[in-house]
Amino acid sequence: MDRLTGKTAVVTGSSRSIGRGIAERLAADGALVGVHYSNSPREAAEVVDTIVAAGGRAFAFGAELGTDGDTDRFWTEFDGHRAKFDDGDDTGLDIIVNNVAVALRDEFEVATRSDFDRMFAVNVRAPFFIIQQGLDRIRDGGRVINISSVVTRLALTEVIAYGTTKGAVDTFTLILAKVLAARNITVNSVAPGYIDTDSNADWLRFDAEAWRETAAKSAFGRVGTARDIADVVSFLASDDSRWVTGQVIDASGGTRL
């Protein structure tokens, strides 16, 4: 597929799990992909190697999000690596996927300020200022895709703070879509449900009962995969989605319909 040929994308937190699936799909679609990592350079390098081996183009760069000066470092690192792929003095950017997130389990009664602040710093503040500081890099007609979560409609009490951050992401998406519409830039959220990822391997992949219970929550009776989300992101990154903006796309496999 070549529908993103000539485009440049960056996917935050794409050294593993959903982010990796998204990076590999966008590269397969023809985009040059910036594979961002916070603290896993080896895994990010593996993603780049996989993309290159499949005939795609990618580069890895690191910046820990949720810390002081994080988005300044993010763009400095991005620019330095992107320049190595200078295509005739064109170092612009077309697609930003805000995927990186911290999900900590805190019941309301025992939630801590430190966990709350960390999740908001990574899940809300970082995407906000990555976009703000990246506006001079994003070309007109570009795409901003924020990864939200189905938890915003499920009222899961054990992740109240995390769910609140994703609610903020959806509101950010809605308002930013109006802000950037004059430049023909679309802004949308994708809300995954239960996905088989590295982060839940201990309690899901190796617990047969937990796997069955989780699969049963989807209308299709299975646990989602990174590819399920990456394919939706691919659509939103393409010209096919040009008339879709300010939306939250539920990609949960019909969880708890």
Side-chain angles (χ1 to χ4, degrees), residues 221-236:
R222 70 172 176 86
V223 176
T225 67
R227 179 180 175 182
D228 292 324
I229 309 307
D231 288 351
V232 177
V233 172
S234 173
F235 162 71
L236 291 174

Side-chain angles (χ1 to χ4, degrees), residues 152-163:
T152 60
R153 67 170 176 82
L154 295 185
L156 300 179
T157 58
E158 67 272 20
V159 289
I160 184 171
Y162 171 72

Side-chain angles (χ1 to χ4, degrees), residues 198-216:
D198 299 335
S199 60
N200 62 30
D202 290 342
W203 70 269
L204 179 58
R205 239 182 259 172
F206 303 112
D207 185 332
E209 183 59 28
W211 185 275
R212 285 192 294 270
E213 291 178 356
T214 301

Side-chain angles (χ1 to χ4, degrees), residues 132-183:
Q132 186 200 65
Q133 293 175 226
L135 284 178
D136 60 345
R137 297 167 177 84
I138 305 173
R139 284 186 273 257
D140 290 355
R143 301 286 187 264
V144 174
I145 303 163
N146 298 318
I147 304 302
S148 179
S149 173
V150 74
V151 301
T152 60
R153 67 170 176 82
L154 295 185
L156 300 179
T157 58
E158 67 272 20
V159 289
I160 184 171
Y162 171 72
T164 301
T165 68
K166 290 305 185 178
V169 166
D170 289 348
T171 299
F172 174 51
T173 294
L174 176 66
I175 300 173
L176 188 64
K178 189 170 184 177
V179 172
L180 299 184
R183 294 181 53 192

